[in-house]
Amino acid sequence: MSDRYIDFANSALGHRLVGALGLPSPVRLERWQAGRLRPIEGALLLGGGPLVAPIAAFAHKLTDAVYSYASDAAPAQAWIPGHGPRLKAVVLDASALTSVEQLKQLREFFQPLLRNLDNSAHLVLLGRAPQSLDEPFAASAQRALEGFARSLAKELRNGATLQLLYVGAGAESQLEGALRFFLSPKSAYVSGQVVRLQACATQVQDWSRPLAGRKALVTGAARGIGAAIAETLARDGAHVVLLDVPQARADLDALAARLGGRSVALDICAADAGAQLIEQLPDGIDIVVHNAGITRDKTLANMTPEFWDAVLAVNLQAPQTLTQALLDSGTLADNGRVILLASISGIAGNRGQTNYAASKAGLIGLAEAWAPLLHGRGISINAVAPGFIETQMTAHIPFALREAGRRMSSLGQGGLPQDVAEAVAWLAQPGSGAVSGQALRVCGQSVLGA
Ligand SMILES: NC(=O)c1ccc[n+]([C@@H]2O[C@H](COP(=O)([O-])OP(=O)(O)OC[C@H]3O[C@@H](n4cnc5c(N)ncnc54)[C@H](O)[C@@H]3O)[C@@H](O)[C@H]2O)c1
């Protein structure tokens, strides 16, 4: 469903009116277009500490315009505030900041850049996870990065985003995959996020088809976000298996045929769903995306047992049971990737959604609990928590609530199914075993549950 306010705010008359009335003026976000090769179309600025050197080694593959600022480590031409080009992407390695005194480098680095950012610029701050540091003041300084990053993300304009990546020991080799996502339009609707990277043995071989040779199952794939996920995984080279309820068979078959994949018509809540699924996947599976989900909204006072049970069964029980079955049967391959579609409702809570929010919070808990148990097999499990995404699900929300849902975020608009799909596709990559047990929000830094 289209957001007419964005169309209006970006028209000549609308732009003037919106400005004069002090209304939110969301920009049209730049998104990844099919056929594009380079993650960054414009200038990339590198600055800061020791992680700049490993990034500089692959930076020329991201863009041919690499600049350095406030760094001795980057073998690139210097960027001069007021004279250098507008910046499309910025990385500051703040991992060596260990004191209050040194934190001032954050202000000194970012201040001159802020008026020199291109539209839909993507900024990344790098640090070391505070929990990994023995020295309390150093841990405190690194934890300070989180407050800084989340706040600066809220101050950015013109579709710019900012994330903080805590880079663990040995995770430097996975920075390319992470930066290809967070510095490109693939992360257009992700902002203010804190992600921890750890060492990971597997690596993407071909960046134009990072999922080549991988088999991916997507539940709820007949429409909406699930269909976009299936399309994106197929674009990235995966062989896709699309699952949805038998009633959605026509749409499912049509999409599977278009993507060169296979369809499975199955209700994930059927008593024998696990056994049926295993039978349908005789060659095993590398990537499992639990996307199927439903809402049955009522305040708790009015919640029927049927509404409660249906939501918990589809959204939480089925992903638990099916993942367990895929693991027990050996169907899920080593170095597999499991991605659970949660929601910011599961983080912030939402009136009228006790059942839905419980199910989505349960998924985040499932990722946290299973991650350490699956680490030995190289399997990662993460939740993706979308905010307001323009789909049939959100089209049914009453107008005023829908408008509030769209505007109450740093980017001032709803996201698209593609935005969620890009995050899932990144987490599905071989190198994204670097991330596990985490919840990545795709919500434009919604004020809910921030
Ligand atoms: N749209 C949003 O703004 C939003 C926000 C946060 C989270 N999410 C989550 O993203 C996921 C996809 O959302 P959407 O907006 O695309 O929803 P949607 O209703 O458009 O699509 C959901 C799909 O799941 C399928 N499905 C439902 N029950 C099933 C079952 N028992 N077995 C097999 N398939 C089943 C449906 O047939 C449908 O094709 C859901 O988990 C949802 O909770 C969506």
Side-chain angles (χ1 to χ4, degrees):
M1 119 157 254
S2 78
D3 180 347
R4 295 214 186 95
Y5 181 80
I6 289 203
D7 296 340
F8 174 69
N10 285 283
S11 68
L13 170 69
H15 186 69
R16 280 207 303 276
L17 215 67
V18 157
L21 295 174
L23 295 169
S25 63
V27 298
R28 220 180 291 284
L29 301 180
E30 185 186 328
R31 290 188 164 92
W32 188 268
Q33 302 292 328
R36 178 172 169 158
L37 292 175
R38 292 223 157 172
I40 304 164
E41 286 180 353
L44 162 65
L45 184 71
L46 302 176
L51 293 171
V52 167
I55 296 169
F58 61 76
H60 62 284
K61 291 196 273 170
L62 310 184
T63 174
D64 48 19
V66 184
Y67 292 82
S68 76
Y69 180 59
S71 174
D72 302 329
Q77 54 186 316
W79 183 81
I80 299 160
H83 297 280
R86 288 202 162 268
L87 301 169
K88 200 70 186 176
V90 176
V91 178
L92 173 66
D93 172 21
S95 64
L97 306 188
T98 53
S99 68
V100 175
E101 173 63 16
Q102 289 176 342
L103 285 174
K104 72 159 71 126
Q105 292 176 30
L106 297 172
R107 189 188 62 76
E108 290 167 354
F109 180 83
F110 281 106
Q111 208 171 52
L113 314 182
L114 295 174
R115 290 194 172 83
N116 288 286
L117 296 178
D118 213 339
N119 283 343
S120 290
H122 299 296
L123 285 59
V124 166
L125 186 59
L126 302 175
R128 294 284 183 200
Q131 300 79 0
S132 69
L133 300 172
D134 296 330
E135 213 282 295
F137 288 177
S140 158
Q142 287 297 309
R143 184 67 172 74
L145 299 181
E146 196 170 323
F148 174 83
R150 291 190 198 274
S151 300
L152 182 55
K154 291 185 176 183
E155 294 179 11
L156 295 174
R157 294 285 171 266
N158 299 322
T161 67
L162 185 147
Q163 337 290 335
L164 168 62
L165 306 185
Y166 281 129
V167 185
E172 294 81 0
S173 55
Q174 300 303 342
L175 274 170
E176 182 171 354
L179 294 181
R180 279 176 177 270
F181 176 66
F182 286 116
L183 294 181
S184 82
K186 289 184 175 178
S187 60
Y189 198 58
V190 181
S191 196
Q193 295 304 291
V194 179
V195 176
R196 298 179 308 280
L197 301 179
Q198 58 189 4
C200 167
T202 45
Q203 192 57 283
V204 169
Q205 299 302 321
D206 171 1
W207 288 110
S208 66
R209 286 168 63 80
L211 303 180
R214 301 224 136 195
K215 296 182 284 288
L217 169 74
V218 183
T219 71
R223 67 178 203 197
I225 293 172
I229 292 171
E231 294 223 22
T232 307
L233 298 182
R235 176 202 71 189
D236 284 354
H239 179 268
V240 286
V241 181
L242 282 64
L243 181 152
D244 212 299
V245 289
Q247 301 90 296
R249 173 137 234 171
D251 288 343
L252 196 66
D253 286 350
L255 183 60
R258 187 157 66 75
L259 301 179
R262 212 152 53 75
S263 63
V264 174
L266 175 68
D267 183 334
I268 53 171
C269 296
D272 62 345
Q276 283 202 55
L277 189 59
I278 291 162
E279 202 180 305
Q280 295 280 349
L281 302 170
D283 302 326
I285 198 84
D286 303 294
I287 299 159
V288 178
V289 185
H290 290 290
N291 162 80
I294 59 169
T295 50
R296 297 284 184 275
D297 295 355
K298 285 277 177 210
T299 56
L300 192 65
N302 298 317
M303 179 76 64
T304 64
E306 292 75 21
F307 272 25
W308 179 273
D309 291 348
V311 167
L312 270 293
V314 177
N315 295 5
L316 185 55
Q317 183 85 63
Q320 287 182 356
T321 312
L322 295 185
T323 309
Q324 189 73 64
L326 293 172
L327 285 168
D328 291 348
S329 61
T331 306
L332 181 62
D334 285 356
N335 300 314
R337 304 278 168 261
V338 181
I339 297 134
L340 308 157
L341 265 290
S343 164
I344 58 167
S345 285
I347 297 170
N350 202 11
R351 188 175 188 278
Q353 290 199 319
T354 49
N355 52 354
Y356 183 76
S359 72
K360 296 302 189 181
L363 289 177
I364 294 171
L366 191 64
E368 287 170 351
W370 236 329
L373 304 178
L374 300 178
H375 182 71
R377 288 185 56 198
I379 296 173
S380 68
I381 177 165
N382 292 288
V384 167
F388 185 100
I389 306 297
E390 306 282 354
T391 65
Q392 292 189 29
M393 195 184 253
T394 47
H396 290 119
I397 299 175
F399 174 77
L401 273 178
R402 196 164 69 229
E403 266 307 289
R406 279 175 172 148
R407 306 296 158 227
M408 281 166 50
S409 70
S410 297
L411 294 171
Q413 57 195 290
L416 301 180
Q418 182 194 348
D419 299 326
V420 182
E422 297 288 7
V424 170
W426 171 59
L427 288 171
Q429 290 180 1
S432 296
V435 182
S436 196
Q438 299 180 50
L440 176 63
R441 295 169 50 142
V442 181
C443 65
Q445 201 180 24
S446 168
V447 298
L448 296 177

